[in-house]
Amino acid sequence: MTPLPDGWRWATLGEIADVAGGVTKDSKLQSRPGLVEVPYLRVANVQRGRIDLSNVATIRVPPQKAAQLELQPGDVLLNEGGDRDKLGRGWVWQGQVPGCIHQNHVFRARIRDGSLHPKLLAWYANEVAHKWFELNGKQSVNLASISLSKIRTFPVPVPTVEEQWRIVEILDDHLSRLNAAENYLAAASARCETMEISALMADETVASSPKVVLRSLLAAPLSNGRSVPTSDGGFPVLRLTALKGHRVDLSERKAGAWTIDEARPFLVRQGDFMVARGNGSLRLVGRGALVRDQPDPVAYPDTLIRLRLDQSRVLPDFLSAVWNSPLVRRQIESMARTTAGIYKVNQKHLESVVLPVPNHDKQSQVCARLDQIKIAQERLTQGLTVSAMRSASLRRTLLDAAFSGRLTGRASGMDLAEEMAGV
């Protein structure tokens, strides 16, 4: 623990706050009589620096449990589990949803006697103390977590009450401006990502082209991959995450428990178009990407469907551009079926997709124009990425200064942060 200014002190979270875990959902108990249905917050609701209430689930619990766990304004919510970078992520509850409780993967810290401003605890846990959570979290096969007893030992700097309010005033002012800038950057990035699709949909050549069904554009029947468990030293197989934008990322692979002979019918080659057969998100099911390079031997799994095109009728690059457009997305999303929370499409669905297909020369012209747009898009994306990195660096510097006492007594906290960040 670093030295603190005069009047400040270090305290553990358990010394200054009542820390509690939440409710564990048990589907078998949801039908029991005598339970009350209440809203509850999950890890997805507890974001870094904000509470996301766009999708609040409900749960049935005993009335005494609902009363025990009901959140109060000023409670600080901190994530207990998930990916490692989610540990300690959270924000201050303002009572937005009456009667709301929280799940067991979210801790609630209720500060006693006003000893620390709730925002200071949330900012410190979110930004400054991430290394503490990395060192003290436990990693299982898929998830990281931190125990209730361990988070009670979390060391927190406690300024004097007067300095707490001064720091909160400075941070509220400057972080609100940073948040606005970051929201602008995020919106600009989202618009940048749609440049190619927007240009494609506005292209008269595409709009006026004859519409044909996908099955008439295939050189071979569609083919599902094979389900293969992982095995050290096994034959490589692509992951579903290999589908990135318009390109299959051939480095996204794992070792499968099969031999080269077993994998041979499922080998991927340059020009193959791979489509996601299933996904937990309707927005992502049926997404497609092109194998643009000749890969080292690698197969594809049952989560992907392979399309091999009749290139005398349609260029792979043209299909790649059109496939993820709103025209095709509307068709796929209307066909998708959901089972146990997973959206799926099958070969029959995909074969019936209707596409605009101009002649070869016009396809080539469209692809050439889109290539120029991609170059501009990449330049814009790089600039936005640099700006986002500078903003994140400024945020970290500002908060580091706040929790070491270096904002106290300065006319402008942002001036100090910019000076220290070198911007």
Side-chain angles (χ1 to χ4, degrees), residues 23 161 184 298 321 355 360 370 374:
V23 64
V161 173
Y184 175 82
V298 62
L355 304 152
H360 251 220
L370 293 179
K374 284 179 186 175

Side-chain angles (χ1 to χ4, degrees), residues 160-203:
T160 64
V161 173
E162 181 184 21
E163 287 177 332
Q164 287 185 38
W165 285 101
R166 185 182 301 124
I167 292 168
V168 168
E169 184 179 6
I170 292 171
L171 291 180
D172 267 339
D173 179 23
H174 295 304
L175 290 178
S176 66
R177 283 190 261 167
L178 272 177
N179 290 338
E182 288 168 358
N183 289 338
Y184 175 82
L185 289 173
S189 294
R191 290 194 299 271
C192 186
E193 288 176 2
T194 64
M195 282 176 59
E196 185 181 355
I197 292 296
S198 299
L200 179 69
M201 299 305 293
D203 194 299

Side-chain angles (χ1 to χ4, degrees), residues 42-97:
R42 299 160 293 162
V43 169
N45 299 115
V46 183
Q47 296 293 317
R48 197 175 305 280
R50 64 187 176 90
I51 304 295
D52 183 354
L53 299 177
S54 61
N55 183 14
V56 178
T58 60
I59 189 170
R60 300 184 74 242
V61 295
Q64 62 271 25
K65 178 67 74 173
Q68 176 190 351
L69 293 178
E70 183 175 355
L71 296 172
Q72 297 178 11
D75 286 346
V76 180
L77 300 172
L78 301 171
N79 283 332
E80 169 270 338
D83 297 333
R84 205 165 189 84
D85 65 347
K86 292 183 176 67
L87 296 181
R89 183 183 76 181
W91 191 235
V92 183
W93 179 249
Q94 301 291 351
Q96 300 95 315
V97 181

